């Protein structure tokens, strides 16, 4: 028996942790995961340095990022938006104030950067190993759905070009029923596609409008770089634009001039279309602060706008929830209270359930900021865009 | 938001294979958006990490160090760089750094390694009964531990990660952030030093315990 073998064998005598030891350690990790403070271990000097470092970083973010907290304006948001019984227009007007107080991205550093969680749903996994695309539903014997998340990072230049990377993160069963279906299917391994290779892709500097999915027909003749200064004028021009897209729709032209004179059906179509355009303008990073303020006010003038109060998204972030009711959809928008950023969208699948009845959409805005450069992966990976 | 074509590719590539739980790497990636996923990593590796740290320090210290390892790992999960499917090299790397930090503090206190002299498994009484039952082996193990303590720190860390943590050479290289060749030479030097310190052990039998090109010792 060698010294090394004795050394190795000696480890067999070390007992595993007791249940109490394991539980105490697990509780510390739980605290970290749940976001509650973990017992401090750093010296006071290191702690002080850390506090200074965090303060410097925070200050840097505030000074560099155009998405600044609105100060007094954000106080107005809290006063106007937290009470779901108050009119949505007041809350959105407060957000308009926050938006107008912000800085244009074009004045920032070289690139504007965004990180997005993109969760896609609807993958069908079949026991017979067939591709899931193009198979009639009747032919699928056992199937289940998995929600898969990708991390998308976007860099936008001042001249509205986009570079982006996309990387698979993981997936979960969409519902307990999907997990049960997977088990009934013999629990086939998901490792291959859950452990997505994480290859990055790039969008090779394409137009930001194209990347963010602007449909030219939505805006028509509107110049999105020079939007009207008032909500009323913006809505009127948007109605005109929609009317040109609805040549066979009764009363479309009259609707453009005066919404109140619209047939109900036409008004619904027009409202939905305008809602889509307004949301796009809020989401588009290069919308100017002034225009963003106008868009908020216009949103508050749409029929069916109501506050949901404070609502949490799938990442546990609390924001101000706005509900826009128009058949057949009840759309939900979630705004970051301090900055007015649109961080999540969804729809209310069960109005009786309140916020818990929200089905969140595919994209969650996770992080924004300025960047000095674009990673090479965003310029050299396999190209994709806008498929 | 456009639908990334890679998702279509994922669909096309979707195939079912039997077995296989999610790898550590996938869990860590998932924990970036679903922090709860990290708890599974704890369940997988806490005991092993605890035993390694208990062997190197004490059961009381091991609890603190192992818990700290996981909280640090959780905080740094966004920076995790996968090495294979297992997170063990990464976790042991964090644990090793915590051990060094603790040793520095102990040295400043002037009472560190002296405490370890003569102890094999734990020194705070937790394992007293077990140690007593193995009294005959104590003398030999004390000599062994004394020899291990006499190694240079870098050599001792590499050797113990190999002997007690069951890491491969390649994994030790990740854990210690050094080239695999350096790991190989450190372990070789450590074994030579042990042989010199304990000449009554047969050096001729040692050759078959060295793995080839970084394999685990049990798989070599």
């Amino acid at each position: 028996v060698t010294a090394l073998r004795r050394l190795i064998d000696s480890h067999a005598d070390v007992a595993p942790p007791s249940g109490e030891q394991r539980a105490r350690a697990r509780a510390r990790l739980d605290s970290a995961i749940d976001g509650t403070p973990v017992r401090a271990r750093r010296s006071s000097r290191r702690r002080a340095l850390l506090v200074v470092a965090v303060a410097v970083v925070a200050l840097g973010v505030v000074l560099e990022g155009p998405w600044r907290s609105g100060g007094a304006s954000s106080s107005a948001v809290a006063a106007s938006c937290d009470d779901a019984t108050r009119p949505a227009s007041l809350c959105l007007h407060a957000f308009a104030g926050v938006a107008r107080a912000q800085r244009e991205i074009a004045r920032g550093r070289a690139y504007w950067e965004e990180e997005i969680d993109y969760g896609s749903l609807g993958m069908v996994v079949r026991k017979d190993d067939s591709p899931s695309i193009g198979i009639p539903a009747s032919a699928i014997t056992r199937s289940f759905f998995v929600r898969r998340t990708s991390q998308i990072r976007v860099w936008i230049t001042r001249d509205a070009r986009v570079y982006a990377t996309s990387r698979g993160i993981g997936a979960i069963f969409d519902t307990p029923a999907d997990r049960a279906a997977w088990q009934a299917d013999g629990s086939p391994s998901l490792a291959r596609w859950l452990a997505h290779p994480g290859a990055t892709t790039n969008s090779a500097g394409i137009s930001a409008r194209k990347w963010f999915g602007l449909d030219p027909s939505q805006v028509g003749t509107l110049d999105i770089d020079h939007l009207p200064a008032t909500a009323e004028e913006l809505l009127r021009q948007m109605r005109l634009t929609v009317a040109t897209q609805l040549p066979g729709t009764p009363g479309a032209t009259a609707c453009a001039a005066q919404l109140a004179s619209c047939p109900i059906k036409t008004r619904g179509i027009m409202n939905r279309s305008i809602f889509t355009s307004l949301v796009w303008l809020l989401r588009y990073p290069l919308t100017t602060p002034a225009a963003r303020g106008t868009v908020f006010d216009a949103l508050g003038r749409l029929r069916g706008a109501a506050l949901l109060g404070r609502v949490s998204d799938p990442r546990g972030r609390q924001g101000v929830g706005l509900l826009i009711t128009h058949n057949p959809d009840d759309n939900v928008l979630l705004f970051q209270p301090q900055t007015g950023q649109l961080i999540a969208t969804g729809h209310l699948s069960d109005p009786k359930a309140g916020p818990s009845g929200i089905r969140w959409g595919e994209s969650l805005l996770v992080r924004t900021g300025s960047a000095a450069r674009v990673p090479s992966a965003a310029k050299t990976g396999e190209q994709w865009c806008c498929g | 938001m456009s639908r990334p074509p890679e998702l279509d590719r994922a669909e096309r590539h979707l195939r079912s294979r039997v077995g296989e739980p999610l790898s550590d790497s996938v869990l860590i990636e998932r924990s970036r958006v679903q922090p709860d996923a990290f708890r599974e990593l704890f369940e997988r590796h806490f005991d092993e990490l605890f035993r390694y740290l208990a062997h190197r320090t004490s059961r009381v210290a091991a609890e603190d160090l192992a818990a700290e390892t996981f909280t640090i790992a959780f905080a740094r999960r966004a920076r995790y760089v996968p090495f294979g499917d297992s997170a063990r090299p990464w976790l042991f790397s964090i644990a090793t750094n915590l051990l060094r930090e603790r040793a520095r503090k102990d040295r400043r206190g002037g009472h560190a390694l002296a405490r370890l002299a003569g102890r094999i498994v734990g020194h705070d009484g937790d394992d007293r009964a077990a140690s007593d039952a193995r009294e005959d082996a104590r003398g030999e193990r004390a000599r062994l531990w004394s020899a291990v303590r006499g190694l240079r720190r870098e050599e001792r860390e590499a050797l113990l990660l190999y002997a007690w943590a069951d890491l491969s050479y390649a994994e030790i290289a990740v854990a210690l952030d050094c080239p695999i060749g350096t790991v190989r030479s450190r372990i070789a030097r450590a074994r030579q030093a042990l042989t010199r310190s304990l000449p009554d052990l047969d050096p001729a039998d040692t050759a078959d315990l060295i793995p080839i090109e970084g394999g685990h010792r049990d798989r070599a």
Side-chain angles (χ1 to χ4, degrees), chain B residues 33-51:
Chain B
V33 288
Q34 297 172 313
D36 281 351
F38 207 84
R39 297 183 213 273
E40 173 63 23
L41 209 66
F42 176 93
E43 302 303 331
R44 288 183 185 182
H45 299 299
F46 178 76
D47 284 15
E48 184 185 19
L49 204 66
F50 173 91
R51 290 181 66 241

Side-chain angles (χ1 to χ4, degrees), chain B:
Chain B
M1 178 69 59
S2 308
R3 173 183 169 83
E6 69 171 70
L7 300 180
D8 295 328
R9 285 201 296 277
E11 280 183 329
R12 288 196 294 273
H13 295 161
L14 194 58
R15 298 289 184 272
S16 52
R17 291 187 305 172
V18 179
E20 292 188 34
L22 295 185
S23 71
D24 289 351
S25 298
V26 173
L27 277 178
I28 293 166
E29 287 292 333
R30 182 188 287 193
S31 72
R32 294 188 61 186
V33 288
Q34 297 172 313
D36 281 351
F38 207 84
R39 297 183 213 273
E40 173 63 23
L41 209 66
F42 176 93
E43 302 303 331
R44 288 183 185 182
H45 299 299
F46 178 76
D47 284 15
E48 184 185 19
L49 204 66
F50 173 91
R51 290 181 66 241
Y52 175 78
L53 291 165
H55 208 166
R56 294 202 57 179
T57 57
S58 72
R59 292 179 65 78
V60 172
E63 178 190 327
D64 182 45
L65 290 169
E68 188 69 3
T69 298
F70 280 97
T71 53
I72 288 173
F74 177 73
R76 295 179 183 169
R77 67 194 188 285
R79 285 181 275 162
Y80 171 69
V81 178
F83 177 82
D85 286 340
S86 175
R88 294 170 75 251
W90 180 53
L91 293 171
F92 277 99
S93 170
I94 295 170
T96 299
N97 287 332
L98 288 175
L99 279 169
R100 286 179 196 161
E101 187 182 337
R102 177 165 291 235
R104 274 197 296 273
K105 286 178 182 172
D106 283 351
R107 273 197 297 277
R108 283 199 295 271
H111 55 77
L113 293 177
R115 283 191 323 199
L116 301 176
R119 73 153 199 77
I120 304 299
V121 181
H123 66 101
D124 53 10
D126 290 10
D127 295 295
R128 186 77 64 198
S131 295
D132 288 347
R134 294 188 294 272
E135 192 62 36
D136 290 345
R138 240 181 128 77
E140 184 180 76
R141 289 193 177 186
R143 288 173 54 222
L144 183 59
W145 180 245
S146 177
V148 170
R149 279 198 306 121
L151 298 174
R152 293 175 56 205
R153 177 178 62 79
E154 296 84 357
E155 294 167 2
R156 184 170 61 245
E157 283 176 346
L159 182 71
L160 295 182
L161 285 172
Y162 173 67
W164 293 347
D166 196 21
L167 295 186
S168 69
Y169 279 18
E171 289 172 331
I172 295 170
V174 172
L176 298 180
D177 193 22
C178 66
I180 190 170
T182 305
V183 172
R184 199 175 287 121
S185 60
R186 283 178 185 175
I187 291 180
R189 282 198 300 270
R191 297 190 64 223
Q192 290 166 2
L194 286 185
T195 302
R196 280 196 302 273
S197 301
L198 305 164
D200 50 322
L201 297 178
D202 183 2
D205 287 344
T206 61
D208 62 348
L209 290 171
I210 293 296
I212 301 168
E213 288 301 325
H216 279 276
R217 61 170 191 247
D218 293 335
R219 298 200 296 263

